[in-house]
Amino acid sequence: MTTITVLFSTLALNFLCIAFAFDPTPLQDFCVADLTSSARSCKDPATVTPNDFFFSGLHLPGNTANPYRAGLKPVQIPGLNTLGLTMARLDFLPNGFIPPHYHPRATEILTVLEGSMEVGFVTSYPNYRNIGKILQKGDVFVVPVGLMHYQRGVGAANTVVLSAVNSQNAGIVEAAHGLFGAKPPINSDYLSEAFLLNKKTVERLQYKFLKS
């Protein structure tokens, strides 16, 4: 579970309100992150090179040796700093999946490069519609900002997906881990009633997630 916590990095719902919040517009051409600075300041533009806007290695798969049989390889480019974009490669073994989660600060767009995947999101109260689809190689799907969504590999082959979000810090909140793994724990009587579960089942889930 610890691997997954690192792997799928956010949650916050805006209930009964509309929020227009985006990454700020840059006030200069670029702000290449100075990785040698503890303050993460911008590099001197005179020292910037093409390699500051370059990444190699996306052809290599992410680590799928975890309980969910899915891996994430982030695209790390210093020149992306402040530009409001994050990219990653997602890998799914057959029947691999990413637990239901949402990004409170970003819309996500997914492009299937190899294999096939089921993806879907759930609309907000009061309808809770599941808008899902099976994607094949070359297909693209958009997940709106702040909505709970899920992804899983389908078929007999491995699946490779390119993911992009329109935020430098989209955030990620995994539904089950956020509720049953909260520290300090949420009252188990409350969770039992909220999810129509036996209290012992809730406490077993809390123990499992808090231990991870």
Side-chain angles (χ1 to χ4, degrees):
M1 289 292 185
T2 302
T3 304
I4 300 305
T5 302
V6 175
L7 184 62
F8 308 114
S9 352
T10 286
L11 204 173
L13 289 172
N14 293 320
F15 184 59
L16 296 180
C17 69
I18 299 176
F20 297 98
F22 303 93
D23 285 11
T25 301
L27 299 178
Q28 55 201 55
D29 289 343
F30 49 76
C31 173
V32 174
D34 185 352
L35 303 182
T36 66
S37 167
S38 59
R40 297 295 185 184
S41 57
C42 302
K43 287 181 65 173
D44 180 348
T47 68
V48 167
T49 72
N51 282 339
D52 288 316
F53 301 90
F54 172 78
F55 176 84
S56 180
L58 208 59
H59 61 292
L60 301 174
N63 181 12
T64 54
N66 56 68
Y68 297 152
R69 304 177 299 282
L72 181 149
K73 177 187 281 289
V75 174
Q76 298 175 313
I77 302 177
L80 269 180
N81 185 44
T82 75
L83 297 183
L85 179 67
T86 304
M87 297 180 65
R89 168 179 169 149
L90 307 179
D91 286 272
F92 300 86
L93 299 182
N95 298 315
F97 65 97
I98 296 178
H101 64 283
Y102 66 87
H103 307 290
R105 297 182 291 275
T107 293
E108 182 174 17
I109 187 166
L110 300 154
T111 304
V112 178
L113 304 179
E114 296 291 343
S116 55
M117 161 178 100
E118 179 183 9
V119 59
F121 61 86
V122 179
T123 64
S124 59
Y125 174 88
N127 297 316
Y128 298 123
R129 286 187 60 204
N130 175 19
I131 300 179
K133 190 172 180 64
I134 301 295
L135 307 183
Q136 307 296 338
K137 181 177 180 179
D139 291 345
V140 181
F141 193 86
V142 172
V143 177
V145 59
L147 295 184
M148 191 70 68
H149 57 283
Y150 59 91
Q151 297 131 324
R152 68 184 185 96
V154 295
N158 293 352
T159 298
V160 181
V161 178
L162 181 64
S163 168
V165 297
N166 63 337
S167 174
Q168 186 169 334
N169 185 14
I172 182 171
V173 181
E174 184 189 328
H177 213 141
L179 290 167
F180 297 106
K183 301 174 184 177
I186 298 172
N187 180 276
S188 58
D189 289 315
Y190 164 73
L191 289 178
S192 174
E193 292 188 26
F195 287 94
L196 305 179
L197 293 173
N198 181 279
K199 182 178 178 179
K200 291 188 180 297
T201 300
V202 169
E203 290 174 344
R204 283 197 297 269
L205 287 169
Q206 289 180 313
Y207 175 79
K208 186 173 183 178
F209 280 106
L210 287 168
K211 186 180 177 181
S212 63

